[in-house]
Amino acid sequence: MLRSLPLSRSVSTLRSAKSQLSSGIGRLSPHTFSCGSGSFLTTTCGLTLLDFTSGIGVTNTGHSHPRVVAAAQKQAGRLVHGQVNVGYHEPMLDLIDGLSEPAGPLACMASPSFLPGPHADGGRPHLFFWNSGAEAVEAAVKLARHATRKQGVLVFQGGYHGRTLGTMSMTTSKNIYRAGFGANLPGVLVAPFPYVHRYKEHLGGGTEEEREERTVDFCMAQLDLVLSQQAPASDIACAVIEPVQGEGGYVPAPASFIRRLREWCTKHEILMVADEVQSGFGRTGGWFAMDHYGVSPDVLVFAKGIASGFPLSGIAAPGSLMNTQPPGSMGGTYAGNAVSCAAAVATIAAMQDEGMLANAVARGEQLRGGLAELQKRLPIADVRGLGLMVGVEFEPAAGGIAGAVTQECLARGMLLLQTSVYDTVRFIPPLNVSEDEVKMGLEIFASSVDAVLAKKK
Ligand SMILES: Cc1ncc(COP(=O)(O)O)c(C=O)c1O
């Protein structure tokens, strides 16, 4: 018999509902969020928290940006679901136009490698939309395998590509994502990622430039070893890289590595796939991190920030590559949902009109500058990042404090996440965060580290 849901729930019912959620979900806070605005979230208990997680790099325009909300509301009133295997819908076509503007989000796809580029279509990349980042990564791998008729998938140590069966097999940031869930997808090969700070202890010191050069040389030599030890190039369909590793510790790859990887992929006829699920959509101060490197991947994977919180992901590739797929081989019930696409169109417009990319650069500098100041007196080993994708790695001597620091930040009113197997926290504010909010975040962080260290004494 149908029963209507209670309008208000007692605290005990809420507790019971919470305990019914899968124990497999890790969670930073016990709070229930009731609303969000800009850089802040409010809980059902009336607490207001400075959100420097942005829902893990999703609400890049801030919580419930009025333009995004209005566009989604309008679209929901017209058409919610225009199934992609049944026909087209307008928001998706508008989104393709918005993404393809000459200086727009997909400008980095202008000149891919050994493939006849998107130039054939007047420089416009071809697109496939899906829902989650992991789905889009798998779409990229399927595209590469099908187009090259090769199976191998090369990934980089510390990378994160998702939790589905396929993408967990490509993920090496932490073994919790794979442990007990095997067998993994066959054909995945792993090469070292140029994590300059970490390789210092193995490759020696010197200036930052010298350490970077040695790390890049080492990683390039290891790539060649993959070809002679793990699989020949004739068996490898694609190399999938996060230009800035997210779950691996907010580690930007040196520009020289990304450029040399591009050349290496071209030389060996291996497709270069940039997984920009976390680093994309303005997060680094460019539309995509690849903009900073001046390199075009063969396939770009995007998700998270594109629709400010509505589920939407996808891949972009030259037509010559994308159109190798026979009709019917791609698609999915909710692929490129109409409301999500309308939210994405509004997200692009809001980012452009409100100068969010430039703000990400300026506020990123402010944040890294403030953290570098704190590094002078706190046990911080490394402050790194691009734009508003900023990581702080604590010194090993601090004894593993990142988790305690995030809990202390929470107690003091700020949401901050850990990342990677190393003792690291990550700052992911919205791209329209204000100077005062960054200042507030720095103050909460500093007092939290002080409090954690004081408790350890
Ligand atoms: C680089 C990267 N790729 C893929 C994914 C998976 O995305 P989703 O959680 O939407 O499946 C993530 C998620 O954090 C990510 O950071």
Side-chain angles (χ1 to χ4, degrees):
M1 196 177 76
L2 283 175
R3 185 169 63 85
S4 62
L5 283 169
L7 286 178
S8 63
R9 294 171 171 191
S10 69
V11 173
S12 62
T13 332
L14 260 180
R15 269 204 205 111
S16 152
K18 283 181 176 177
S19 71
Q20 284 174 259
L21 270 169
S22 162
S23 64
I25 302 173
R27 199 173 284 104
L28 170 67
S29 90
H31 296 303
T32 304
F33 303 117
S34 54
C35 56
S37 174
S39 304
F40 295 93
L41 275 171
T42 304
T43 73
T44 46
C45 305
L47 274 176
T48 297
L49 301 166
L50 179 63
D51 182 11
F52 272 16
T53 72
S54 294
I56 320 190
V58 172
T59 53
N60 287 3
T61 54
H63 286 285
S64 299
H65 189 288
R67 282 177 77 168
V68 177
V69 171
Q73 282 173 334
K74 191 171 164 206
Q75 185 56 39
R78 285 166 63 94
L79 176 77
V80 172
H81 182 57
Q83 214 283 332
V84 74
N85 300 105
V86 175
Y88 298 98
H89 59 72
E90 286 174 298
M92 188 183 284
L93 302 178
D94 292 344
L95 177 58
I96 292 171
D97 284 341
L99 287 168
S100 310
E101 278 173 26
L106 293 182
C108 70
M109 296 301 292
S111 53
S113 61
F114 58 93
L115 294 156
H119 322 95
D121 297 308
R124 288 169 72 102
H126 285 223
L127 291 139
F128 171 70
F129 294 102
W130 220 337
N131 309 291
S132 73
E135 285 175 323
V137 170
E138 290 197 1
V141 170
K142 281 175 68 179
L143 175 64
R145 281 186 165 180
H146 184 269
T148 62
R149 303 287 164 178
K150 300 194 267 181
Q151 284 196 6
V153 177
L154 175 65
V155 296
F156 292 85
Q157 197 179 356
Y160 180 88
H161 302 288
R163 287 182 173 95
T164 58
L165 269 178
T167 56
M168 86 177 188
S169 311
M170 299 164 60
T171 290
T172 54
S173 57
K174 281 185 194 155
N175 60 21
I176 184 73
Y177 304 121
R178 300 163 156 226
F181 295 119
N184 290 324
L185 193 72
V188 177
L189 319 155
V190 187
F193 183 87
Y195 191 156
V196 179
H197 172 69
R198 275 283 144 193
Y199 278 119
K200 185 167 59 175
E201 59 193 77
H202 307 290
L203 300 176
T207 65
E208 209 167 312
E209 289 74 36
E210 285 164 350
R211 287 194 283 116
E212 185 174 301
E213 201 180 317
R214 272 201 303 278
T215 307
V216 171
D217 285 345
F218 167 75
C219 290
M220 290 309 303
Q222 292 293 313
L223 273 179
D224 287 335
L225 267 185
V226 167
L227 299 187
S228 48
Q229 292 183 325
Q230 296 186 52
S234 55
D235 281 353
I236 305 178
C238 57
V240 185
I241 188 157
E242 293 168 84
V244 185
Q245 280 194 339
E247 306 301 307
Y250 273 39
V251 193
S256 58
F257 181 75
I258 295 291
R259 292 196 196 114
R260 286 171 70 178
L261 176 66
R262 172 67 280 177
E263 286 161 16
W264 186 87
C265 285
T266 302
K267 178 175 162 197
H268 295 291
E269 302 205 343
I270 292 169
L271 292 170
M272 181 179 185
V273 178
D275 179 349
E276 293 236 33
V277 167
Q278 192 152 168
S279 59
F281 252 80
R283 176 55 46 201
T284 64
W287 280 111
F288 285 95
M290 293 308 267
D291 294 330
H292 297 285
Y293 298 114
V295 163
S296 289
D298 298 301
V299 186
L300 182 76
V301 185
F302 54 84
K304 287 194 188 272
I306 185 172
S308 297
F310 289 87
L312 185 67
S313 68
I315 56 173
S320 50
L321 176 58
M322 193 75 93
N323 293 338
T324 54
Q325 301 200 310
S329 61
M330 301 298 284
T333 302
Y334 299 110
N337 170 265
V339 178
S340 297
C341 286
V345 172
T347 296
I348 296 173
M351 284 187 177
Q352 280 169 334
D353 295 350
E354 296 170 32
M356 287 192 212
L357 269 54
N359 192 58
V361 173
R363 297 286 69 81
E365 276 166 16
Q366 180 194 353
L367 183 54
R368 281 193 302 281
L371 292 166
E373 273 305 306
L374 292 176
Q375 191 174 14
K376 292 178 186 160
R377 67 170 190 85
L378 294 174
I380 292 174
D382 196 27
V383 175
R384 56 180 174 245
L386 266 181
L388 280 172
M389 192 168 182
V390 177
V392 169
E393 188 167 332
F394 294 106
E395 281 169 4
I401 57 171
V405 168
T406 61
Q407 287 307 311
E408 195 63 45
C409 285
L410 179 62
R412 289 160 192 261
M414 176 168 76
L415 293 159
L416 188 74
L417 284 164
Q418 274 182 269
T419 175
S420 98
V421 292
Y422 299 112
D423 201 23
T424 305
V425 294
R426 52 179 150 168
F427 291 75
I428 333 173
L431 308 183
N432 50 4
V433 68
S434 71
E435 193 173 344
D436 281 350
E437 287 161 355
V438 169
K439 216 170 137 216
M440 187 191 303
L442 281 165
E443 280 164 11
I444 296 175
F445 175 71
S447 63
S448 299
V449 179
D450 283 335
V452 168
L453 293 174
K455 279 184 207 164
K456 281 192 91 142
K457 274 187 188 152

